[in-house]
């Protein structure tokens, strides 16, 4: 799969409630450092790029959550993939920006 896809990633770490946002911030930092287009939303972060690259970012985001102290993660991934063309965030939400 070489076309751009959209991948929504939600990670819920098992940590003390006052540490949840700090751990999630670590995962978001991985996404920011990756250089792919992304959008942080209240429940998930949406990324745009090639399938393999986004799955690798999702894996790294999980790893940093464990390094930040999570004992367990609930990870939810949603993807939109087209057979022969790109999927972009702009086409879905651009009119709202």
């Amino acid at each position: 799969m070489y076309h751009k896809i959209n991948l929504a990633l939600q990670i819920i770490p098992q940590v003390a409630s006052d540490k949840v946002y700090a751990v999630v911030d670590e995962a978001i930092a991985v996404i920011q450092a990756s250089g792919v287009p992304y959008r942080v939303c209240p429940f998930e972060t949406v990324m745009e790029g090639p399938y393999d690259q986004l799955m690798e970012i999702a894996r790294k985001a999980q790893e940093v959550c464990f390094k930040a102290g999570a004992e367990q993660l609930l990870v939810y991934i949603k993807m939109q993939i087209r057979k022969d063309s790109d999927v972009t965030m702009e086409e879905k939400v651009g009119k709202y920006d």
Side-chain angles (χ1 to χ4, degrees), residues 23 61-73:
V23 173
Q62 293 167 64
E63 287 177 357
V64 299
C65 290
F66 285 125
K67 288 179 184 173
E71 292 296 319
Q72 175 175 290
L73 304 172

Side-chain angles (χ1 to χ4, degrees), residues 8-9 15 23 30 33 49 52 56 58 60 66 77 80 84-85 87 90:
L9 176 65
V15 292
V23 173
V30 167
D52 289 340
E56 178 65 13
K60 288 178 181 178
F66 285 125
I77 294 176
Q80 182 180 1
D84 294 320
S85 64
V87 177
E90 174 68 22

Side-chain angles (χ1 to χ4, degrees), residues 29-73:
V30 167
I31 295 166
Q32 289 172 324
S34 74
V36 299
Y38 70 94
R39 182 175 293 215
V40 176
C41 303
F43 293 105
E44 62 195 10
T45 299
V46 180
M47 299 178 278
E48 180 180 299
Y51 178 91
D52 289 340
Q53 182 182 14
L54 298 187
M55 291 303 288
E56 178 65 13
I57 294 165
R59 183 188 62 75
K60 288 178 181 178
Q62 293 167 64
E63 287 177 357
V64 299
C65 290
F66 285 125
K67 288 179 184 173
E71 292 296 319
Q72 175 175 290
L73 304 172

